[in-house]
Amino acid sequence: MSYDPQELEAEWRERWAESGRYEADPDGRDDEAGEARRASNRSSGDDEEPRDATFVTVPYPYPSGGMHIGHARTYTVPDVYARYRRQQGDNVLFPIGWHVTGTPIIGAVERLKKGEEEQLSVLRDTYNVPEDTLEELETPMGFARHFIENHYKQGMRQLGLSIDWRREFTTNDERYSKFITWQYETLKERGLLEKGLHPVNYCTNEEQPVTTHDLLEGEDAEYQEYTLIKFRASQRDAERASGDGTEPRAEDDGTIYPMATLRPETVRGVTNAYVDPDATYARAIVDGEEWIVSEEATEKFDLQARDVSVEETFEGAELVGEHVTNPVTGEEILIIPADFVDTDNATGVVMSVPAHSPDDWVALEEAKARADDLTEYGVDPDEVRAIEPRAILTIEGYGEFPARDAVEEHGVDSANDPALEEATQELYNREFHQGELIEEYGEFAGEVIEDVRDELKAHYQSQGAFDSMYDFAEEVVCRCGGDVEVSEQETWFLRYNDEAWSEKVLRAIENLDAIPETTREQYTHTVDWLEEWPCIRNYGLGTRLPWDDEFVIEPLSDSTIYMSYYTIAHRLEDVPPEAMDKDFFDTLFYGADAVDNPDERALELREEWDYWYPVDYRCSANDLISNHLTFFLYHHAELFEEEQWPQGITSMGMGLLEGEKMSSSKGHVVLPDEAIEEYGADTVRFFLLNSSEPWQDFDWRADEVGSTRDQLERFWNRAIDVIEAPEGERDLETIDRWLLAQLQETVRDVTDAMERFETRTASQHAFYRFEEHLKWYRRRADLDRPGSRWTLRTVLETRLRLLAPFIPFMANELHERLTGEPAEDVPWPEPVPEFEDRAVVAQESLVEDVLEDVRDIVDVTDTDPETIRLYVAADWKRDVLDTVIDVGPNQGQVMGEVMQNDELREKGDAVNQLVGDLVSFVRERDDETLATLSEIDERAVYEEAADFLAREFDADVEVYAEDGDPVDPDGKASQAQPFRPAIHLE
RNA sequence: GCGAGGGUAGCCAAGCGGUCAACGGCGGCGGACUCAAGAUCCGCUCCCGUAGGGGUUCGUGGGUUCGAUUCCCUCCCCUCGCACCA
């Protein structure tokens, strides 16, 4: 009966689907499927004891594309745990749903409808969507449905995931929306939602907010908050202007020239300003003040919720030569022209801090060099040449003007030198972390920038000297071709920085089983820096904001407590959506007393919710810790009682394909159904769970998957041999007991590992490590003996149960053939005390040691011995060992003790040497091992193994006692030490 | 920069104070079986070695210890997250 995974797996899938094997209902709430199942389930069939409810979840898939092998692991990890807990006797619920909220699916559909080549290629080539099906994908839910049904669901079924399919839903379902509506109404009522302004990426062409996915250029661009330093027009210019007849720009000192910087602390180092003389600037009334900024900037301010009216526009050249006053120092500075000014960046009026900015240093040098040319703008060249850098901080390792040092050190020779960028980066960094402000900064003097920047900024902001704006550092373009700017929009926020709320979450984190443990700190850290979260969007699939249906609740905000929805999702058919109002859910989650007139149906559902909740384990991904998983904790902490808070979260690593990141757009993915077709589902599962622990990254390498498949096939063939051989009887020899002892150890190791989600360790022990034991056993034992056959059957049965969570198809099939029942229907193994035997394990390792030593000698001497003589150490040596064990591994003390004995004293140096060796021997072993060893009759062990060794080396094997007057041609016998026999080959 | 994780033999990867030249897998080499190939089984796979031995190793440089791959510190390098994106 050869291994045919396709056929075998198809049968089991069929069987599971037909019997509703994984449909889980609360004990006591029986349906027919549950009855039938329990009747066939030995572990929980007759005894009355209720099973523990275990609830495992995994983030519902987002079907904006197909499923790949990385997803396969994500969903198989909880499946393995679910299967394990079922064998442990638990009632286990593992449900799944579909997340369609937000814009990615809509975006994908749009791109498809536009006929974008890249999108078509992903659909056609990566995900094998048939040409005539493409049309069905042209609506968002049509698109989602396709991937749900043809990819995810199919992949999950093929993998053998033990999902209760009755409970699936999408987040666009009417009833689900009712549930989310309840959630947000409740949060609003509790004051955890807040309305406010928030910066978003905004397409100026489409006139709407856009997501990262919508961007053509600048996908990685992040907007920054610039500080605006509000320089004011100087009186002097007004006078001068009226004197010489040119149009005065600054009629009075109320006109403001906002200059943007990311380093507000440099305000005291500004020596001059730059404008682009050829660009267009504007005089605008901004929030009631008169501002001079670039024309582009007026649009930005308008988008950023400021009240802007442009009074007039003019050339930048008109600003050149004017003077403005520093709002902090009161100093006047000169505006000069520069071609490097980008008017589309921030305000288009640039301040210059030559002492601390290599860019500005170089620019000033160049400005001075061409000062004479500036007369054409009416600028006095001497005034330009008189501009001196002004230092505002001190930093170790630099002179008065750090920018000059940086420029010199990096050998920057012009404004276009690439080294300038490097010099700037380095200096900005160092100044930020090490620079100390000079005395003029008063309360901030002597402080390191890093510590006071925010405070300093707030200080001047409150005085009206500073303001702020958002802008990108690079150009950002929408897929529609439109310019993307930062806009401030009215939005609703979840107040994740609310102190009382955060406190509760921190408590939830404390009590959480965070796997691996190192993630706990990441949760705490996230809670610490999390601010308000804008929880709505202007468009997308999902639930409308209950009190303003212009907005949709965004994906990370409608997926925080949906695990509770699984508990009732399959029983809502008879509840009309309109009945699912606030009272309904209050009753469901808070009980009959929570409302005046509790809905009977809700009360009934409440029992099931209560039965399954809390979530025992959520298996998720590392990169979701800082948002989804923390939000999940937030909402549970607020909306549910502490007993219903999540018990555990397992964070998973990501997947690589042949050492590289997977990418569906490049077609660099492996689809589960292709992999399953090629290798079988058991192989795919086993590879995914065995090649690394869940939280580590894994690497799908085809040749290793292939070799995993070979290993499983070999396992299958051996198992079939055992199953088909006569049963044998329990008539055990030492080597059988040795194998059974190893089996108990394995059961223990595997169980411990499973409890900690260590799927790699567990499957390694159950499979590979035990294969090593079997390898040895096959060499050592006579496999035709009835006792051996009994042993091999026992071992196989236990291992199949241990492996059933990993390779359920094969393990169930083989177990059923062996015992008449599938492995999943019998209990998880426990160590059998009768077979635990440290002594037999220790003895066997002596045999392994001797085998290895003899082989070493054979190799080194390149001989083929006819006779192998083993000499077991003399009794007195054993006595010395006992002394070392008694006294402890201390050379001096042991010698003192040993020298009391006249006989030993006579042996002199030999004893000293022996004690030295035995001291390290003892030091390297724990007490239990030593105790086990001291019970062993070493000579008997070798005598029993003599036949085996003779077979291995095709030689005669003689065992002697060193002190029994042995045949000793080369005088080797005296080399014997306890547990290390002397060896002679001839 | 901040937070987290990691750097182990040709590759992947375990070990996390002594039993470690370091589990296991892949690849490579040799042998058995076979007409042959595949599969399977056995052995070898840092260097040296005609007796089970010796030498040098676990990113770098220090330190703690009788003893460190394992603990502490320095530095270098890599990966992930840092938000309104699922």
PDB file of all heavy atoms in Angstrom, chain A residues 62 521 534 537 627 714 853 924, chain B residues 4 18 40 42 52 84-86:
ATOM      1  N   TYR A  62      -7.950  38.845   4.528  1.00  0.00           N
ATOM      2  CA  TYR A  62      -8.406  39.993   3.773  1.00  0.00           C
ATOM      3  C   TYR A  62      -8.332  39.627   2.298  1.00  0.00           C
ATOM      4  O   TYR A  62      -7.246  39.635   1.703  1.00  0.00           O
ATOM      5  CB  TYR A  62      -7.537  41.218   4.076  1.00  0.00           C
ATOM      6  CG  TYR A  62      -8.243  42.495   3.735  1.00  0.00           C
ATOM      7  CD1 TYR A  62      -8.912  43.216   4.708  1.00  0.00           C
ATOM      8  CD2 TYR A  62      -8.276  42.950   2.425  1.00  0.00           C
ATOM      9  CE1 TYR A  62      -9.609  44.371   4.383  1.00  0.00           C
ATOM     10  CE2 TYR A  62      -8.973  44.092   2.096  1.00  0.00           C
ATOM     11  CZ  TYR A  62      -9.630  44.808   3.076  1.00  0.00           C
ATOM     12  OH  TYR A  62     -10.325  45.935   2.752  1.00  0.00           O
ATOM     13  N   GLU A 521       6.706  43.082  26.083  1.00  0.00           N
ATOM     14  CA  GLU A 521       7.204  44.447  26.197  1.00  0.00           C
ATOM     15  C   GLU A 521       6.773  45.301  25.006  1.00  0.00           C
ATOM     16  O   GLU A 521       6.571  46.501  25.125  1.00  0.00           O
ATOM     17  CB  GLU A 521       8.717  44.424  26.307  1.00  0.00           C
ATOM     18  CG  GLU A 521       9.242  45.701  26.915  1.00  0.00           C
ATOM     19  CD  GLU A 521      10.746  45.723  26.951  1.00  0.00           C
ATOM     20  OE1 GLU A 521      11.329  44.678  27.287  1.00  0.00           O
ATOM     21  OE2 GLU A 521      11.312  46.778  26.643  1.00  0.00           O
ATOM     22  N   PRO A 534      -7.565  57.828  14.466  1.00  0.00           N
ATOM     23  CA  PRO A 534      -8.705  58.217  13.640  1.00  0.00           C
ATOM     24  C   PRO A 534      -9.379  56.950  13.113  1.00  0.00           C
ATOM     25  O   PRO A 534      -8.766  56.198  12.370  1.00  0.00           O
ATOM     26  CB  PRO A 534      -8.078  59.019  12.502  1.00  0.00           C
ATOM     27  CG  PRO A 534      -6.646  58.629  12.494  1.00  0.00           C
ATOM     28  CD  PRO A 534      -6.277  58.113  13.835  1.00  0.00           C
ATOM     29  N   ARG A 537     -13.148  56.606   7.846  1.00  0.00           N
ATOM     30  CA  ARG A 537     -12.630  57.010   6.545  1.00  0.00           C
ATOM     31  C   ARG A 537     -13.786  57.563   5.729  1.00  0.00           C
ATOM     32  O   ARG A 537     -14.950  57.306   6.031  1.00  0.00           O
ATOM     33  CB  ARG A 537     -12.040  55.800   5.806  1.00  0.00           C
ATOM     34  CG  ARG A 537     -10.852  55.180   6.492  1.00  0.00           C
ATOM     35  CD  ARG A 537      -9.634  56.091   6.477  1.00  0.00           C
ATOM     36  NE  ARG A 537      -8.539  55.478   7.209  1.00  0.00           N
ATOM     37  CZ  ARG A 537      -8.342  55.638   8.504  1.00  0.00           C
ATOM     38  NH1 ARG A 537      -9.147  56.406   9.218  1.00  0.00           N
ATOM     39  NH2 ARG A 537      -7.338  55.048   9.103  1.00  0.00           N
ATOM     40  N   ASN A 627      -0.481  47.571  16.181  1.00  0.00           N
ATOM     41  CA  ASN A 627      -1.802  48.125  15.933  1.00  0.00           C
ATOM     42  C   ASN A 627      -2.906  47.127  16.262  1.00  0.00           C
ATOM     43  O   ASN A 627      -3.431  47.135  17.368  1.00  0.00           O
ATOM     44  CB  ASN A 627      -1.935  48.690  14.518  1.00  0.00           C
ATOM     45  CG  ASN A 627      -1.393  47.740  13.459  1.00  0.00           C
ATOM     46  OD1 ASN A 627      -1.770  46.589  13.395  1.00  0.00           O
ATOM     47  ND2 ASN A 627      -0.494  48.245  12.632  1.00  0.00           N
ATOM     48  N   ARG A 714       8.574   7.695   3.759  1.00  0.00           N
ATOM     49  CA  ARG A 714       9.322   6.633   4.428  1.00  0.00           C
ATOM     50  C   ARG A 714       8.603   6.233   5.720  1.00  0.00           C
ATOM     51  O   ARG A 714       8.471   5.068   6.041  1.00  0.00           O
ATOM     52  CB  ARG A 714      10.724   7.166   4.752  1.00  0.00           C
ATOM     53  CG  ARG A 714      11.737   6.103   5.010  1.00  0.00           C
ATOM     54  CD  ARG A 714      13.095   6.729   5.256  1.00  0.00           C
ATOM     55  NE  ARG A 714      13.402   7.774   4.261  1.00  0.00           N
ATOM     56  CZ  ARG A 714      14.314   8.732   4.445  1.00  0.00           C
ATOM     57  NH1 ARG A 714      15.001   8.791   5.575  1.00  0.00           N
ATOM     58  NH2 ARG A 714      14.546   9.614   3.509  1.00  0.00           N
ATOM     59  N   ASP A 853      33.916   4.373  20.055  1.00  0.00           N
ATOM     60  CA  ASP A 853      35.354   4.308  20.341  1.00  0.00           C
ATOM     61  C   ASP A 853      36.038   3.275  19.454  1.00  0.00           C
ATOM     62  O   ASP A 853      37.102   3.529  18.903  1.00  0.00           O
ATOM     63  CB  ASP A 853      35.583   3.965  21.818  1.00  0.00           C
ATOM     64  CG  ASP A 853      35.431   5.191  22.702  1.00  0.00           C
ATOM     65  OD1 ASP A 853      35.368   6.309  22.147  1.00  0.00           O
ATOM     66  OD2 ASP A 853      35.365   5.048  23.936  1.00  0.00           O
ATOM     67  N   GLU A 924      30.858  16.883  35.257  1.00  0.00           N
ATOM     68  CA  GLU A 924      30.076  17.088  34.043  1.00  0.00           C
ATOM     69  C   GLU A 924      28.718  16.379  34.045  1.00  0.00           C
ATOM     70  O   GLU A 924      27.983  16.434  33.086  1.00  0.00           O
ATOM     71  CB  GLU A 924      30.886  16.631  32.827  1.00  0.00           C
ATOM     72  CG  GLU A 924      32.027  17.585  32.527  1.00  0.00           C
ATOM     73  CD  GLU A 924      33.100  16.961  31.646  1.00  0.00           C
ATOM     74  OE1 GLU A 924      32.891  15.831  31.167  1.00  0.00           O
ATOM     75  OE2 GLU A 924      34.145  17.620  31.452  1.00  0.00           O
TER      76      GLU A 924
ATOM     77  P     A B   4      13.547  47.292  23.733  1.00  0.00           P
ATOM     78  OP1   A B   4      13.370  46.757  25.096  1.00  0.00           O
ATOM     79  OP2   A B   4      14.864  47.819  23.317  1.00  0.00           O
ATOM     80  O5'   A B   4      13.113  46.190  22.679  1.00  0.00           O
ATOM     81  C5'   A B   4      11.921  45.436  22.883  1.00  0.00           C
ATOM     82  C4'   A B   4      11.687  44.531  21.702  1.00  0.00           C
ATOM     83  O4'   A B   4      11.635  45.313  20.483  1.00  0.00           O
ATOM     84  C3'   A B   4      12.783  43.513  21.420  1.00  0.00           C
ATOM     85  O3'   A B   4      12.737  42.400  22.296  1.00  0.00           O
ATOM     86  C2'   A B   4      12.440  43.137  19.981  1.00  0.00           C
ATOM     87  O2'   A B   4      11.316  42.292  19.919  1.00  0.00           O
ATOM     88  C1'   A B   4      12.082  44.509  19.402  1.00  0.00           C
ATOM     89  N9    A B   4      13.266  45.125  18.785  1.00  0.00           N
ATOM     90  C8    A B   4      14.085  46.102  19.297  1.00  0.00           C
ATOM     91  N7    A B   4      15.079  46.418  18.492  1.00  0.00           N
ATOM     92  C5    A B   4      14.895  45.592  17.386  1.00  0.00           C
ATOM     93  C6    A B   4      15.609  45.438  16.186  1.00  0.00           C
ATOM     94  N6    A B   4      16.692  46.139  15.879  1.00  0.00           N
ATOM     95  N1    A B   4      15.161  44.525  15.297  1.00  0.00           N
ATOM     96  C2    A B   4      14.075  43.816  15.599  1.00  0.00           C
ATOM     97  N3    A B   4      13.308  43.868  16.697  1.00  0.00           N
ATOM     98  C4    A B   4      13.785  44.790  17.556  1.00  0.00           C
ATOM     99  P     G B  18      26.143  23.823  30.270  1.00  0.00           P
ATOM    100  OP1   G B  18      25.650  23.912  28.890  1.00  0.00           O
ATOM    101  OP2   G B  18      25.246  23.413  31.340  1.00  0.00           O
ATOM    102  O5'   G B  18      27.413  22.891  30.329  1.00  0.00           O
ATOM    103  C5'   G B  18      28.497  23.056  29.436  1.00  0.00           C
ATOM    104  C4'   G B  18      29.703  22.461  30.093  1.00  0.00           C
ATOM    105  O4'   G B  18      29.739  22.882  31.452  1.00  0.00           O
ATOM    106  C3'   G B  18      29.758  20.955  30.120  1.00  0.00           C
ATOM    107  O3'   G B  18      30.739  20.590  29.171  1.00  0.00           O
ATOM    108  C2'   G B  18      30.235  20.595  31.521  1.00  0.00           C
ATOM    109  O2'   G B  18      31.510  19.935  31.429  1.00  0.00           O
ATOM    110  C1'   G B  18      30.494  21.918  32.148  1.00  0.00           C
ATOM    111  N9    G B  18      30.335  22.194  33.552  1.00  0.00           N
ATOM    112  C8    G B  18      29.220  22.231  34.327  1.00  0.00           C
ATOM    113  N7    G B  18      29.437  22.650  35.553  1.00  0.00           N
ATOM    114  C5    G B  18      30.801  22.897  35.577  1.00  0.00           C
ATOM    115  C6    G B  18      31.638  23.384  36.606  1.00  0.00           C
ATOM    116  O6    G B  18      31.339  23.732  37.733  1.00  0.00           O
ATOM    117  N1    G B  18      32.960  23.471  36.205  1.00  0.00           N
ATOM    118  C2    G B  18      33.416  23.143  34.954  1.00  0.00           C
ATOM    119  N2    G B  18      34.717  23.293  34.715  1.00  0.00           N
ATOM    120  N3    G B  18      32.651  22.712  33.967  1.00  0.00           N
ATOM    121  C4    G B  18      31.374  22.608  34.365  1.00  0.00           C
ATOM    122  P     U B  40      15.135   7.652   0.565  1.00  0.00           P
ATOM    123  OP1   U B  40      14.294   8.385   1.528  1.00  0.00           O
ATOM    124  OP2   U B  40      16.393   8.240   0.068  1.00  0.00           O
ATOM    125  O5'   U B  40      15.469   6.215   1.158  1.00  0.00           O
ATOM    126  C5'   U B  40      14.442   5.408   1.728  1.00  0.00           C
ATOM    127  C4'   U B  40      15.014   4.059   2.084  1.00  0.00           C
ATOM    128  O4'   U B  40      15.506   3.405   0.885  1.00  0.00           O
ATOM    129  C3'   U B  40      16.230   4.094   2.996  1.00  0.00           C
ATOM    130  O3'   U B  40      15.848   4.251   4.357  1.00  0.00           O
ATOM    131  C2'   U B  40      16.860   2.739   2.718  1.00  0.00           C
ATOM    132  O2'   U B  40      16.157   1.699   3.364  1.00  0.00           O
ATOM    133  C1'   U B  40      16.648   2.616   1.205  1.00  0.00           C
ATOM    134  N1    U B  40      17.806   3.126   0.440  1.00  0.00           N
ATOM    135  C2    U B  40      18.921   2.303   0.331  1.00  0.00           C
ATOM    136  O2    U B  40      18.990   1.206   0.834  1.00  0.00           O
ATOM    137  N3    U B  40      19.965   2.833  -0.394  1.00  0.00           N
ATOM    138  C4    U B  40      19.996   4.075  -1.007  1.00  0.00           C
ATOM    139  O4    U B  40      20.998   4.413  -1.631  1.00  0.00           O
ATOM    140  C5    U B  40      18.804   4.863  -0.836  1.00  0.00           C
ATOM    141  C6    U B  40      17.775   4.375  -0.135  1.00  0.00           C
ATOM    142  P     C B  42      20.953   3.844   8.856  1.00  0.00           P
ATOM    143  OP1   C B  42      20.619   3.767  10.290  1.00  0.00           O
ATOM    144  OP2   C B  42      20.729   5.091   8.105  1.00  0.00           O
ATOM    145  O5'   C B  42      22.479   3.444   8.654  1.00  0.00           O
ATOM    146  C5'   C B  42      23.004   2.263   9.256  1.00  0.00           C
ATOM    147  C4'   C B  42      24.440   2.105   8.830  1.00  0.00           C
ATOM    148  O4'   C B  42      24.505   1.906   7.400  1.00  0.00           O
ATOM    149  C3'   C B  42      25.305   3.345   9.046  1.00  0.00           C
ATOM    150  O3'   C B  42      25.718   3.488  10.387  1.00  0.00           O
ATOM    151  C2'   C B  42      26.458   3.055   8.099  1.00  0.00           C
ATOM    152  O2'   C B  42      27.332   2.084   8.610  1.00  0.00           O
ATOM    153  C1'   C B  42      25.700   2.474   6.897  1.00  0.00           C
ATOM    154  N1    C B  42      25.364   3.522   5.911  1.00  0.00           N
ATOM    155  C2    C B  42      26.364   3.955   5.043  1.00  0.00           C
ATOM    156  O2    C B  42      27.490   3.451   5.137  1.00  0.00           O
ATOM    157  N3    C B  42      26.083   4.918   4.136  1.00  0.00           N
ATOM    158  C4    C B  42      24.865   5.438   4.076  1.00  0.00           C
ATOM    159  N4    C B  42      24.638   6.377   3.170  1.00  0.00           N
ATOM    160  C5    C B  42      23.818   5.020   4.955  1.00  0.00           C
ATOM    161  C6    C B  42      24.107   4.063   5.850  1.00  0.00           C
ATOM    162  P     G B  52      44.467   7.849  20.800  1.00  0.00           P
ATOM    163  OP1   G B  52      44.875   8.431  19.518  1.00  0.00           O
ATOM    164  OP2   G B  52      45.130   8.308  22.045  1.00  0.00           O
ATOM    165  O5'   G B  52      42.901   8.039  20.992  1.00  0.00           O
ATOM    166  C5'   G B  52      42.063   8.124  19.841  1.00  0.00           C
ATOM    167  C4'   G B  52      40.653   7.748  20.194  1.00  0.00           C
ATOM    168  O4'   G B  52      40.544   6.308  20.252  1.00  0.00           O
ATOM    169  C3'   G B  52      40.173   8.234  21.569  1.00  0.00           C
ATOM    170  O3'   G B  52      39.657   9.536  21.450  1.00  0.00           O
ATOM    171  C2'   G B  52      39.090   7.226  21.904  1.00  0.00           C
ATOM    172  O2'   G B  52      37.875   7.530  21.282  1.00  0.00           O
ATOM    173  C1'   G B  52      39.656   5.931  21.296  1.00  0.00           C
ATOM    174  N9    G B  52      40.391   5.131  22.267  1.00  0.00           N
ATOM    175  C8    G B  52      41.748   4.933  22.302  1.00  0.00           C
ATOM    176  N7    G B  52      42.135   4.165  23.283  1.00  0.00           N
ATOM    177  C5    G B  52      40.947   3.828  23.931  1.00  0.00           C
ATOM    178  C6    G B  52      40.729   3.022  25.068  1.00  0.00           C
ATOM    179  O6    G B  52      41.562   2.411  25.747  1.00  0.00           O
ATOM    180  N1    G B  52      39.378   2.954  25.412  1.00  0.00           N
ATOM    181  C2    G B  52      38.379   3.586  24.727  1.00  0.00           C
ATOM    182  N2    G B  52      37.154   3.399  25.208  1.00  0.00           N
ATOM    183  N3    G B  52      38.572   4.342  23.662  1.00  0.00           N
ATOM    184  C4    G B  52      39.867   4.422  23.321  1.00  0.00           C
ATOM    185  P     C B  84       0.208  56.585   8.617  1.00  0.00           P
ATOM    186  OP1   C B  84       1.199  56.339   7.568  1.00  0.00           O
ATOM    187  OP2   C B  84       0.259  57.861   9.363  1.00  0.00           O
ATOM    188  O5'   C B  84      -1.223  56.408   8.001  1.00  0.00           O
ATOM    189  C5'   C B  84      -1.818  55.111   7.876  1.00  0.00           C
ATOM    190  C4'   C B  84      -3.168  55.130   8.535  1.00  0.00           C
ATOM    191  O4'   C B  84      -2.966  55.276   9.948  1.00  0.00           O
ATOM    192  C3'   C B  84      -4.029  56.310   8.116  1.00  0.00           C
ATOM    193  O3'   C B  84      -4.873  55.944   7.020  1.00  0.00           O
ATOM    194  C2'   C B  84      -4.837  56.611   9.365  1.00  0.00           C
ATOM    195  O2'   C B  84      -6.047  55.889   9.377  1.00  0.00           O
ATOM    196  C1'   C B  84      -3.959  56.093  10.508  1.00  0.00           C
ATOM    197  N1    C B  84      -3.295  57.148  11.294  1.00  0.00           N
ATOM    198  C2    C B  84      -3.621  57.278  12.635  1.00  0.00           C
ATOM    199  O2    C B  84      -4.460  56.513  13.106  1.00  0.00           O
ATOM    200  N3    C B  84      -3.014  58.235  13.382  1.00  0.00           N
ATOM    201  C4    C B  84      -2.110  59.018  12.850  1.00  0.00           C
ATOM    202  N4    C B  84      -1.549  59.925  13.624  1.00  0.00           N
ATOM    203  C5    C B  84      -1.750  58.901  11.473  1.00  0.00           C
ATOM    204  C6    C B  84      -2.367  57.958  10.743  1.00  0.00           C
ATOM    205  P     C B  85      -4.191  55.917   5.523  1.00  0.00           P
ATOM    206  OP1   C B  85      -3.151  56.927   5.501  1.00  0.00           O
ATOM    207  OP2   C B  85      -5.315  56.019   4.562  1.00  0.00           O
ATOM    208  O5'   C B  85      -3.554  54.479   5.326  1.00  0.00           O
ATOM    209  C5'   C B  85      -4.368  53.351   5.254  1.00  0.00           C
ATOM    210  C4'   C B  85      -3.528  52.135   4.971  1.00  0.00           C
ATOM    211  O4'   C B  85      -2.254  52.222   5.638  1.00  0.00           O
ATOM    212  C3'   C B  85      -4.117  50.821   5.497  1.00  0.00           C
ATOM    213  O3'   C B  85      -5.150  50.348   4.657  1.00  0.00           O
ATOM    214  C2'   C B  85      -2.890  49.924   5.545  1.00  0.00           C
ATOM    215  O2'   C B  85      -2.599  49.441   4.250  1.00  0.00           O
ATOM    216  C1'   C B  85      -1.812  50.907   6.009  1.00  0.00           C
ATOM    217  N1    C B  85      -1.602  50.855   7.475  1.00  0.00           N
ATOM    218  C2    C B  85      -0.339  50.454   7.955  1.00  0.00           C
ATOM    219  O2    C B  85       0.545  50.198   7.158  1.00  0.00           O
ATOM    220  N3    C B  85      -0.131  50.404   9.287  1.00  0.00           N
ATOM    221  C4    C B  85      -1.125  50.703  10.132  1.00  0.00           C
ATOM    222  N4    C B  85      -0.869  50.642  11.443  1.00  0.00           N
ATOM    223  C5    C B  85      -2.408  51.098   9.677  1.00  0.00           C
ATOM    224  C6    C B  85      -2.610  51.163   8.350  1.00  0.00           C
ATOM    225  P     A B  86      -6.526  50.063   5.325  1.00  0.00           P
ATOM    226  OP1   A B  86      -7.482  51.078   4.883  1.00  0.00           O
ATOM    227  OP2   A B  86      -6.305  49.878   6.769  1.00  0.00           O
ATOM    228  O5'   A B  86      -6.905  48.679   4.661  1.00  0.00           O
ATOM    229  C5'   A B  86      -7.223  47.605   5.498  1.00  0.00           C
ATOM    230  C4'   A B  86      -6.326  46.444   5.135  1.00  0.00           C
ATOM    231  O4'   A B  86      -4.957  46.823   5.322  1.00  0.00           O
ATOM    232  C3'   A B  86      -6.511  45.255   6.052  1.00  0.00           C
ATOM    233  O3'   A B  86      -7.599  44.465   5.604  1.00  0.00           O
ATOM    234  C2'   A B  86      -5.179  44.545   5.982  1.00  0.00           C
ATOM    235  O2'   A B  86      -5.111  43.687   4.867  1.00  0.00           O
ATOM    236  C1'   A B  86      -4.221  45.713   5.796  1.00  0.00           C
ATOM    237  N9    A B  86      -3.540  46.089   7.029  1.00  0.00           N
ATOM    238  C8    A B  86      -4.069  46.432   8.239  1.00  0.00           C
ATOM    239  N7    A B  86      -3.174  46.720   9.161  1.00  0.00           N
ATOM    240  C5    A B  86      -1.967  46.552   8.499  1.00  0.00           C
ATOM    241  C6    A B  86      -0.646  46.693   8.899  1.00  0.00           C
ATOM    242  N6    A B  86      -0.294  47.062  10.145  1.00  0.00           N
ATOM    243  N1    A B  86       0.316  46.445   8.004  1.00  0.00           N
ATOM    244  C2    A B  86      -0.031  46.070   6.773  1.00  0.00           C
ATOM    245  N3    A B  86      -1.240  45.908   6.259  1.00  0.00           N
ATOM    246  C4    A B  86      -2.183  46.159   7.187  1.00  0.00           C
TER     247        A B  86
END
